[in-house]
Amino acid sequence: MRDYEDIVQKNYELARKIFADWGIDTEKAMERFSELKMSVHCWQGDDVKGFEGDDAASQNLVTGNYPGRARCGDELRQDLDMAMSLSPFKHKVNIHSFYQEGKKKRKEVTAADFTKWIDWAVGKGYGLDFNCSFFTHKMMDGNLSLTSLKKEVRDYWIEAGQGAREIACEMGKATGQVCINDIWVPDGMKDIPADRLHFRSLLIDALDRILEKKYDKKYMVDVLEGKLFSIGAECYTVGSNDFYLAYAVKKGVGICMDTGHYHLTESVADKLSAVAPFVDDILLHISRGVRWDSDHVVIQSDELLTLFEELTRGDYANKVHLGLDYFDASINRVAAWAIGLRAAAKAALTALLQPFHIIKEAEMSYDYTSRLMLTDEMKNLPYNAVWEYMLLKKNIPLGRYALERIKRYEKDVLANR
Ligand code: RNT
Ligand code: ZN
């Protein structure tokens, strides 16, 4: 390992000079990286089950039965700590209302039912993000919640949605970091609806009521997450992307873009500059769709890099909040988090190291030849040398040493569950 550290040091010294030749200051890029905060989705650790023991309405979208699933808050937090120790980001943790530890009815939960989460986050310096869980519950009307035809079902979920904002606000105050409250509902139809507008009218009414109370955006920010389709909602999703975008712009609410929630050829990187001028907040749910919204573990890919390129090149810093969203129960769950975190971090650092100014200059002088050639050439710069050096400096295991740590954790902790 010592030898390896020397190699990393030497590689970095060479890389630093190569980047300097392209007009890039690697130290500055690492400084900018250190400002980035990534929200880690807690639900990867327990297969989106929650702690209420009510599997009744579970959609069971998570496949696999790898041993070691976290069964309670303490286990989930322990696993999250482990995963985040392998990531160079600053972190937030994203939780759902059904991760309450107060044994309350879902619509009655308050911040007091998240005391352990909040104390843990405050102690470790993590921020928190929040979601009302509009699923896995006996008050679901099939997969309808806010748009059920039954008034008592709608009212139940409206109350739950209102309560979630209160909790999110408390989390923001306690952590001293803004808490993003995301609203996603699974409501939709397997087959062709007769009256599409009717359900959307119900959703408008429900959102109006949930979002009625004004909160200080210093503590809590609302975002709405649309979707293309789900299993059992192939023909119609009430909260489609168009619906939420139009609603958000009209009502001054934020938007959540999940990279798995569009047609596979659509690019969230392209959507950012189209949407950002018209909304104050965008939460990203970074996911990897394989053929469909499959929520595969995020890995290094062109799509991921393109997303971070856009985030780095545009002025989105005060607007865009980063988060992960995927789940895989067929591999070690801590590794699943770590793989996604490290892939996103590496994409972020790579984007910060790119000599964007050179291709921008070419573009401004209509020199599309240079733009294309340099765009392709800059793919070969020694990004990995800077990445390894940054990990070393932050005392985070490199490459396969991270896996060794996960394997040890699996043997010492996960295998005993
Ligand atoms: C579902 C949405 C949503 C969920 C979480 C559990 O398609 O992506 O973000 O993944 O709320
Ligand atoms: Zn999502």
Side-chain angles (χ1 to χ4, degrees), residues 43 48 61 96 98 131-132 135 182 184 225-227 229-230 256 258 261 285 293 295 325-327:
W43 50 91
V48 207
L61 284 182
H96 257 274
F98 73 176
N131 311 253
C132 176
F135 49 83
D182 178 30
W184 171 76
E225 182 177 6
K227 190 162 178 165
F229 78 100
S230 327
C256 170
D258 184 310
H261 288 191
H285 271 185
D293 177 31
D295 285 296
D325 183 9
Y326 54 79
F327 21 83

mmCIF file of all heavy atoms in Angstrom, residues 43 48 61 96 98 131-132 135 182 184 225-227 229-230 256 258 261 285 293 295 325-327, ligand 1:
data_model
loop_
_atom_site.group_PDB
_atom_site.id
_atom_site.type_symbol
_atom_site.label_atom_id
_atom_site.label_comp_id
_atom_site.label_asym_id
_atom_site.label_seq_id
_atom_site.Cartn_x
_atom_site.Cartn_y
_atom_site.Cartn_z
ATOM 1 N N TRP A 43 -33.153 4.114 1.293
ATOM 2 C CA TRP A 43 -33.926 2.922 0.937
ATOM 3 C C TRP A 43 -33.157 1.850 0.181
ATOM 4 O O TRP A 43 -33.644 0.734 0.034
ATOM 5 C CB TRP A 43 -35.219 3.297 0.210
ATOM 6 C CG TRP A 43 -35.079 4.256 -0.956
ATOM 7 C CD1 TRP A 43 -34.882 3.943 -2.265
ATOM 8 C CD2 TRP A 43 -35.164 5.698 -0.908
ATOM 9 N NE1 TRP A 43 -34.821 5.083 -3.042
ATOM 10 C CE2 TRP A 43 -34.996 6.181 -2.244
ATOM 11 C CE3 TRP A 43 -35.373 6.634 0.114
ATOM 12 C CZ2 TRP A 43 -35.040 7.540 -2.562
ATOM 13 C CZ3 TRP A 43 -35.402 7.990 -0.218
ATOM 14 C CH2 TRP A 43 -35.231 8.429 -1.540
ATOM 15 N N VAL A 48 -36.349 -0.863 0.228
ATOM 16 C CA VAL A 48 -37.549 -0.004 0.254
ATOM 17 C C VAL A 48 -38.679 -0.625 1.081
ATOM 18 O O VAL A 48 -39.846 -0.569 0.677
ATOM 19 C CB VAL A 48 -38.053 0.338 -1.175
ATOM 20 C CG1 VAL A 48 -38.795 1.681 -1.182
ATOM 21 C CG2 VAL A 48 -36.924 0.420 -2.203
ATOM 22 N N LEU A 61 -40.712 -3.788 -6.120
ATOM 23 C CA LEU A 61 -39.922 -3.475 -7.311
ATOM 24 C C LEU A 61 -38.471 -3.885 -7.148
ATOM 25 O O LEU A 61 -37.693 -3.823 -8.081
ATOM 26 C CB LEU A 61 -39.973 -1.967 -7.578
ATOM 27 C CG LEU A 61 -41.279 -1.470 -8.178
ATOM 28 C CD1 LEU A 61 -41.212 0.022 -8.436
ATOM 29 C CD2 LEU A 61 -41.594 -2.208 -9.481
ATOM 30 N N HIS A 96 -37.524 8.407 4.042
ATOM 31 C CA HIS A 96 -38.951 8.374 3.777
ATOM 32 C C HIS A 96 -39.723 8.332 5.090
ATOM 33 O O HIS A 96 -39.184 7.878 6.107
ATOM 34 C CB HIS A 96 -39.280 7.098 2.974
ATOM 35 C CG HIS A 96 -39.519 7.363 1.521
ATOM 36 N ND1 HIS A 96 -40.753 7.718 1.041
ATOM 37 C CD2 HIS A 96 -38.695 7.333 0.456
ATOM 38 C CE1 HIS A 96 -40.670 7.886 -0.272
ATOM 39 N NE2 HIS A 96 -39.426 7.661 -0.658
ATOM 40 N N PHE A 98 -41.866 6.317 6.102
ATOM 41 C CA PHE A 98 -42.047 4.995 6.719
ATOM 42 C C PHE A 98 -40.762 4.443 7.360
ATOM 43 O O PHE A 98 -40.743 3.299 7.811
ATOM 44 C CB PHE A 98 -42.755 4.002 5.793
ATOM 45 C CG PHE A 98 -41.980 3.445 4.621
ATOM 46 C CD1 PHE A 98 -42.583 2.476 3.803
ATOM 47 C CD2 PHE A 98 -40.699 3.852 4.315
ATOM 48 C CE1 PHE A 98 -41.914 1.932 2.734
ATOM 49 C CE2 PHE A 98 -40.011 3.322 3.237
ATOM 50 C CZ PHE A 98 -40.622 2.357 2.446
ATOM 51 N N ASN A 131 -39.202 12.491 2.384
ATOM 52 C CA ASN A 131 -40.279 12.132 1.443
ATOM 53 C C ASN A 131 -41.428 11.538 2.245
ATOM 54 O O ASN A 131 -41.184 10.729 3.136
ATOM 55 C CB ASN A 131 -39.861 11.003 0.491
ATOM 56 C CG ASN A 131 -38.516 11.225 -0.164
ATOM 57 O OD1 ASN A 131 -38.431 11.525 -1.331
ATOM 58 N ND2 ASN A 131 -37.442 11.058 0.588
ATOM 59 N N CYS A 132 -42.648 11.908 1.921
ATOM 60 C CA CYS A 132 -43.790 11.173 2.469
ATOM 61 C C CYS A 132 -43.903 9.889 1.650
ATOM 62 O O CYS A 132 -43.884 9.919 0.425
ATOM 63 C CB CYS A 132 -45.057 12.010 2.317
ATOM 64 S SG CYS A 132 -46.532 11.145 2.866
ATOM 65 N N PHE A 135 -46.981 4.898 -0.377
ATOM 66 C CA PHE A 135 -47.035 3.516 -0.883
ATOM 67 C C PHE A 135 -46.816 2.564 0.282
ATOM 68 O O PHE A 135 -46.544 3.006 1.408
ATOM 69 C CB PHE A 135 -45.982 3.282 -1.990
ATOM 70 C CG PHE A 135 -44.591 3.742 -1.640
ATOM 71 C CD1 PHE A 135 -43.736 2.941 -0.903
ATOM 72 C CD2 PHE A 135 -44.131 4.992 -2.052
ATOM 73 C CE1 PHE A 135 -42.458 3.370 -0.578
ATOM 74 C CE2 PHE A 135 -42.845 5.424 -1.732
ATOM 75 C CZ PHE A 135 -42.013 4.605 -0.989
ATOM 76 N N ASP A 182 -39.583 15.828 -1.026
ATOM 77 C CA ASP A 182 -39.958 15.371 -2.369
ATOM 78 C C ASP A 182 -41.339 14.704 -2.324
ATOM 79 O O ASP A 182 -41.619 13.892 -1.443
ATOM 80 C CB ASP A 182 -38.896 14.353 -2.839
ATOM 81 C CG ASP A 182 -39.198 13.766 -4.216
ATOM 82 O OD1 ASP A 182 -39.819 14.457 -5.042
ATOM 83 O OD2 ASP A 182 -38.793 12.611 -4.455
ATOM 84 N N TRP A 184 -43.583 12.251 -4.423
ATOM 85 C CA TRP A 184 -43.787 11.320 -5.535
ATOM 86 C C TRP A 184 -44.936 10.384 -5.163
ATOM 87 O O TRP A 184 -44.953 9.836 -4.063
ATOM 88 C CB TRP A 184 -42.539 10.479 -5.829
ATOM 89 C CG TRP A 184 -42.838 9.395 -6.829
ATOM 90 C CD1 TRP A 184 -42.995 9.560 -8.172
ATOM 91 C CD2 TRP A 184 -43.081 8.015 -6.559
ATOM 92 N NE1 TRP A 184 -43.313 8.367 -8.759
ATOM 93 C CE2 TRP A 184 -43.374 7.401 -7.793
ATOM 94 C CE3 TRP A 184 -43.099 7.243 -5.387
ATOM 95 C CZ2 TRP A 184 -43.676 6.035 -7.903
ATOM 96 C CZ3 TRP A 184 -43.397 5.892 -5.485
ATOM 97 C CH2 TRP A 184 -43.674 5.298 -6.742
ATOM 98 N N GLU A 225 -41.947 15.101 -8.058
ATOM 99 C CA GLU A 225 -41.245 14.125 -8.911
ATOM 100 C C GLU A 225 -42.211 13.417 -9.854
ATOM 101 O O GLU A 225 -43.036 12.607 -9.440
ATOM 102 C CB GLU A 225 -40.536 13.088 -8.027
ATOM 103 C CG GLU A 225 -39.743 12.066 -8.840
ATOM 104 C CD GLU A 225 -38.984 11.067 -7.970
ATOM 105 O OE1 GLU A 225 -39.147 11.095 -6.737
ATOM 106 O OE2 GLU A 225 -38.243 10.247 -8.537
ATOM 107 N N GLY A 226 -42.100 13.708 -11.119
ATOM 108 C CA GLY A 226 -42.942 13.064 -12.113
ATOM 109 C C GLY A 226 -42.323 11.775 -12.610
ATOM 110 O O GLY A 226 -41.210 11.403 -12.243
ATOM 111 N N LYS A 227 -43.079 11.109 -13.458
ATOM 112 C CA LYS A 227 -42.617 9.806 -13.921
ATOM 113 C C LYS A 227 -43.316 9.447 -15.227
ATOM 114 O O LYS A 227 -44.397 9.938 -15.525
ATOM 115 C CB LYS A 227 -42.960 8.789 -12.823
ATOM 116 C CG LYS A 227 -42.346 7.439 -13.030
ATOM 117 C CD LYS A 227 -42.357 6.634 -11.729
ATOM 118 C CE LYS A 227 -41.785 5.271 -11.996
ATOM 119 N NZ LYS A 227 -41.435 4.555 -10.786
ATOM 120 N N PHE A 229 -43.828 5.957 -16.339
ATOM 121 C CA PHE A 229 -44.738 4.842 -16.073
ATOM 122 C C PHE A 229 -44.158 3.992 -14.950
ATOM 123 O O PHE A 229 -42.997 4.158 -14.569
ATOM 124 C CB PHE A 229 -44.927 3.966 -17.314
ATOM 125 C CG PHE A 229 -43.769 3.027 -17.546
ATOM 126 C CD1 PHE A 229 -43.865 1.694 -17.158
ATOM 127 C CD2 PHE A 229 -42.580 3.461 -18.110
ATOM 128 C CE1 PHE A 229 -42.788 0.831 -17.347
ATOM 129 C CE2 PHE A 229 -41.515 2.611 -18.304
ATOM 130 C CZ PHE A 229 -41.610 1.291 -17.922
ATOM 131 N N SER A 230 -44.977 3.104 -14.392
ATOM 132 C CA SER A 230 -44.493 2.098 -13.426
ATOM 133 C C SER A 230 -45.147 0.773 -13.776
ATOM 134 O O SER A 230 -46.053 0.725 -14.619
ATOM 135 C CB SER A 230 -44.911 2.424 -11.997
ATOM 136 O OG SER A 230 -44.964 3.785 -11.764
ATOM 137 N N CYS A 256 -38.336 17.605 -9.033
ATOM 138 C CA CYS A 256 -37.344 16.538 -8.889
ATOM 139 C C CYS A 256 -37.247 15.812 -10.224
ATOM 140 O O CYS A 256 -38.256 15.388 -10.782
ATOM 141 C CB CYS A 256 -37.761 15.552 -7.788
ATOM 142 S SG CYS A 256 -36.744 14.060 -7.752
ATOM 143 N N ASP A 258 -35.759 12.567 -11.884
ATOM 144 C CA ASP A 258 -35.139 11.254 -11.685
ATOM 145 C C ASP A 258 -34.677 10.796 -13.054
ATOM 146 O O ASP A 258 -35.472 10.735 -14.004
ATOM 147 C CB ASP A 258 -36.186 10.306 -11.084
ATOM 148 C CG ASP A 258 -35.625 8.938 -10.741
ATOM 149 O OD1 ASP A 258 -34.965 8.345 -11.612
ATOM 150 O OD2 ASP A 258 -35.884 8.445 -9.635
ATOM 151 N N HIS A 261 -36.779 8.408 -15.090
ATOM 152 C CA HIS A 261 -38.211 8.660 -15.262
ATOM 153 C C HIS A 261 -38.596 9.282 -16.593
ATOM 154 O O HIS A 261 -39.612 9.958 -16.714
ATOM 155 C CB HIS A 261 -38.728 9.525 -14.110
ATOM 156 C CG HIS A 261 -38.796 8.776 -12.824
ATOM 157 N ND1 HIS A 261 -39.432 9.248 -11.700
ATOM 158 C CD2 HIS A 261 -38.332 7.551 -12.498
ATOM 159 C CE1 HIS A 261 -39.335 8.365 -10.724
ATOM 160 N NE2 HIS A 261 -38.671 7.322 -11.180
ATOM 161 N N HIS A 285 -32.545 12.969 -8.858
ATOM 162 C CA HIS A 285 -32.482 11.581 -8.409
ATOM 163 C C HIS A 285 -31.645 10.860 -9.457
ATOM 164 O O HIS A 285 -32.133 10.558 -10.544
ATOM 165 C CB HIS A 285 -33.881 10.945 -8.344
ATOM 166 C CG HIS A 285 -34.554 11.142 -7.031
ATOM 167 N ND1 HIS A 285 -35.772 10.567 -6.728
ATOM 168 C CD2 HIS A 285 -34.174 11.814 -5.913
ATOM 169 C CE1 HIS A 285 -36.102 10.895 -5.493
ATOM 170 N NE2 HIS A 285 -35.161 11.656 -4.980
ATOM 171 N N ASP A 293 -37.172 1.942 -16.386
ATOM 172 C CA ASP A 293 -36.850 2.568 -15.103
ATOM 173 C C ASP A 293 -36.470 1.491 -14.093
ATOM 174 O O ASP A 293 -37.166 1.244 -13.121
ATOM 175 C CB ASP A 293 -38.081 3.361 -14.631
ATOM 176 C CG ASP A 293 -37.874 3.995 -13.268
ATOM 177 O OD1 ASP A 293 -36.716 4.334 -12.957
ATOM 178 O OD2 ASP A 293 -38.855 4.139 -12.535
ATOM 179 N N ASP A 295 -33.895 1.203 -12.061
ATOM 180 C CA ASP A 295 -33.207 1.591 -10.820
ATOM 181 C C ASP A 295 -31.950 0.779 -10.553
ATOM 182 O O ASP A 295 -31.695 0.378 -9.425
ATOM 183 C CB ASP A 295 -34.168 1.510 -9.626
ATOM 184 C CG ASP A 295 -35.146 2.672 -9.612
ATOM 185 O OD1 ASP A 295 -34.687 3.808 -9.455
ATOM 186 O OD2 ASP A 295 -36.358 2.440 -9.777
ATOM 187 N N ASP A 325 -30.842 7.696 -6.420
ATOM 188 C CA ASP A 325 -32.079 6.926 -6.238
ATOM 189 C C ASP A 325 -32.033 5.647 -7.074
ATOM 190 O O ASP A 325 -32.241 5.692 -8.290
ATOM 191 C CB ASP A 325 -33.307 7.758 -6.631
ATOM 192 C CG ASP A 325 -34.601 6.990 -6.377
ATOM 193 O OD1 ASP A 325 -34.551 5.910 -5.741
ATOM 194 O OD2 ASP A 325 -35.678 7.457 -6.822
ATOM 195 N N TYR A 326 -31.731 4.541 -6.410
ATOM 196 C CA TYR A 326 -31.758 3.236 -7.070
ATOM 197 C C TYR A 326 -31.776 2.191 -5.978
ATOM 198 O O TYR A 326 -31.583 2.508 -4.785
ATOM 199 C CB TYR A 326 -30.521 3.055 -7.975
ATOM 200 C CG TYR A 326 -29.201 3.264 -7.273
ATOM 201 C CD1 TYR A 326 -28.644 2.264 -6.476
ATOM 202 C CD2 TYR A 326 -28.507 4.475 -7.383
ATOM 203 C CE1 TYR A 326 -27.437 2.463 -5.817
ATOM 204 C CE2 TYR A 326 -27.308 4.667 -6.719
ATOM 205 C CZ TYR A 326 -26.776 3.663 -5.941
ATOM 206 O OH TYR A 326 -25.600 3.865 -5.270
ATOM 207 N N PHE A 327 -32.020 0.961 -6.348
ATOM 208 C CA PHE A 327 -32.002 -0.097 -5.330
ATOM 209 C C PHE A 327 -31.735 -1.441 -5.973
ATOM 210 O O PHE A 327 -32.295 -1.784 -7.005
ATOM 211 C CB PHE A 327 -33.312 -0.159 -4.541
ATOM 212 C CG PHE A 327 -34.487 0.467 -5.218
ATOM 213 C CD1 PHE A 327 -35.221 -0.236 -6.163
ATOM 214 C CD2 PHE A 327 -34.867 1.764 -4.915
ATOM 215 C CE1 PHE A 327 -36.310 0.345 -6.794
ATOM 216 C CE2 PHE A 327 -35.953 2.360 -5.544
ATOM 217 C CZ PHE A 327 -36.668 1.649 -6.489
HETATM 218 C C1 RNT B 1 -40.123 6.108 -7.645
HETATM 219 C C2 RNT B 1 -39.379 7.357 -7.419
HETATM 220 C C3 RNT B 1 -39.136 7.672 -5.980
HETATM 221 C C4 RNT B 1 -38.781 6.458 -5.192
HETATM 222 C C5 RNT B 1 -38.486 6.752 -3.770
HETATM 223 C C6 RNT B 1 -38.506 5.516 -2.924
HETATM 224 O O1 RNT B 1 -40.193 5.781 -8.958
HETATM 225 O O2 RNT B 1 -38.173 7.335 -8.109
HETATM 226 O O3 RNT B 1 -38.169 8.659 -5.885
HETATM 227 O O4 RNT B 1 -37.709 5.797 -5.760
HETATM 228 O O5 RNT B 1 -39.316 7.731 -3.332
#
